[in-house]
Amino acid sequence: MYAFYIKSSILLLLFSTMAIAQEEKKTVKDTLIYKQKYGLRIGADISKLARTFFDDNYSGFEVMGDYRLTKRIYIAGEIGNEEYTLENEVLNNTTKGSYFKGGIDLNFYKNWLDMENMIYIGFRGGASTFSQTLNSYNIYNVNNQYWNQQFTVEEGTEFSGLTAIWAEIIIGIKAELFNNFYAGINAQLKGLITETAPNDYENLYIPGFNRTYDSGRFGAGFGFNLSYLVPIFKKDKVVIQETEKE
């Protein structure tokens, strides 16, 4: 009887200790508040500047910017100028003009604490005004059955007042390298909506749209940009963390 009493006391003490230990562990919610930056981010497409330096047939620049509206939505746009000479075995043609693109970016990256990085999908409407100059073209004499003689015609005819409108989808990332300074890379898929072209001659290159292939309606591009965020104001970002404390 005495042994049973001792065993019961030990079990009761053990259960009491476990109950007290469980009661002492509490879930505590900590509310952390961080400041999110809202402002104008401006920059330039470094890939176009690099291509200008290395490619003798190309010169161009692009200035880009975005403004944060909400936690995920940004108003964004690009403006630029390009000159490109297409040279092959058939012709030599120079296109030059300016373009503007405007739309929105949707950020799908969930930043941790006070980070401002982006993994985004963008939608743009683009418009360009440009001219084309047919510098020269080759003519083959097919009347001679033994020798196909080639003649080069130095024409230098300019077709001005040309326009194009297109839509594009952008997929890209922007990462903050250090305070307010960002690097980004993106890929673009473009669909031509409308264009004006010379009579009996097609647009071989459209500034902002890039190459056109066999009168195709689709184009592609990419960009690498560096930008700086000018903070205008900040909004609170509330983060609730749950921790267990004894």
Side-chain angles (χ1 to χ4, degrees):
M1 185 68 180
Y2 180 73
F4 176 77
Y5 176 75
I6 293 176
K7 291 182 180 180
S8 301
S9 300
I10 294 174
L11 291 174
L12 181 61
L13 180 61
L14 179 61
F15 284 120
S16 299
T17 303
M18 293 176 60
I20 293 173
Q22 289 180 353
E23 289 179 358
E24 288 179 349
K25 290 185 178 180
K26 297 181 180 179
T27 300
V28 178
K29 292 184 179 180
D30 294 328
T31 301
L32 304 177
I33 299 177
Y34 297 89
K35 296 291 186 180
Q36 287 189 319
K37 300 173 184 177
Y38 285 70
L40 178 64
R41 179 165 38 201
I42 55 177
D45 190 332
I46 305 302
S47 64
K48 294 186 183 299
L49 298 179
R51 186 180 177 187
T52 298
F53 183 79
F54 291 105
D55 190 348
D56 293 335
N57 291 330
Y58 176 87
S59 64
F61 70 90
E62 179 180 284
V63 178
M64 51 78 63
D66 63 52
Y67 181 81
R68 188 176 189 177
L69 287 179
T70 67
K71 182 179 178 180
R72 293 180 53 198
I73 302 176
Y74 295 72
I75 295 177
E78 297 82 25
I79 186 170
N81 183 276
E82 290 185 304
E83 180 175 341
Y84 176 68
T85 298
L86 174 64
E87 185 176 9
N88 55 35
E89 67 278 1
V90 177
L91 54 79
N92 183 295
N93 182 86
T94 299
T95 303
K96 56 183 177 180
S98 302
Y99 64 91
F100 169 79
K101 299 189 293 181
I104 61 171
D105 290 335
L106 301 178
N107 185 17
F108 289 92
Y109 181 72
K110 187 177 181 180
N111 282 288
W112 185 68
L113 301 182
D114 58 345
M115 298 173 64
E116 305 288 345
N117 298 326
M118 295 181 65
I119 299 177
Y120 66 95
I121 296 178
F123 304 92
R124 299 285 190 277
S128 176
T129 60
F130 57 99
S131 66
Q132 289 198 97
T133 301
L134 181 59
N135 301 313
S136 64
Y137 60 93
N138 297 328
I139 297 177
Y140 291 87
N141 184 4
V142 296
N143 293 325
N144 190 320
Q145 61 180 346
Y146 298 105
W147 304 100
N148 288 334
Q149 294 178 316
Q150 175 179 319
F151 301 94
T152 299
V153 179
E154 302 288 343
E155 185 168 303
T157 303
E158 180 178 359
F159 306 94
S160 59
L162 306 176
T163 61
I165 297 175
W166 67 91
E168 67 179 62
I169 298 176
I170 302 175
I171 300 176
I173 61 174
K174 291 180 183 178
E176 188 173 15
L177 301 181
F178 48 88
N179 189 32
N180 295 334
F181 189 79
Y182 294 80
I185 189 170
N186 63 72
Q188 310 146 20
L189 178 63
K190 309 165 189 281
L192 192 61
I193 298 174
T194 183
E195 64 175 323
T196 58
N199 294 329
D200 301 324
Y201 192 59
E202 66 179 24
N203 294 319
L204 303 177
Y205 189 92
I206 298 174
F209 184 86
N210 298 334
R211 282 288 306 273
T212 59
Y213 297 92
D214 298 328
S215 301
R217 311 298 295 181
F218 295 96
F222 74 94
F224 173 74
N225 54 73
L226 297 175
S227 58
Y228 182 80
L229 173 64
V230 181
I232 298 177
F233 63 93
K234 297 180 180 180
K235 286 185 178 181
D236 291 341
K237 177 183 179 181
V238 180
V239 178
I240 299 177
Q241 293 183 335
E242 294 185 357
T243 57
E244 288 188 354
K245 294 184 178 180
E246 294 183 355

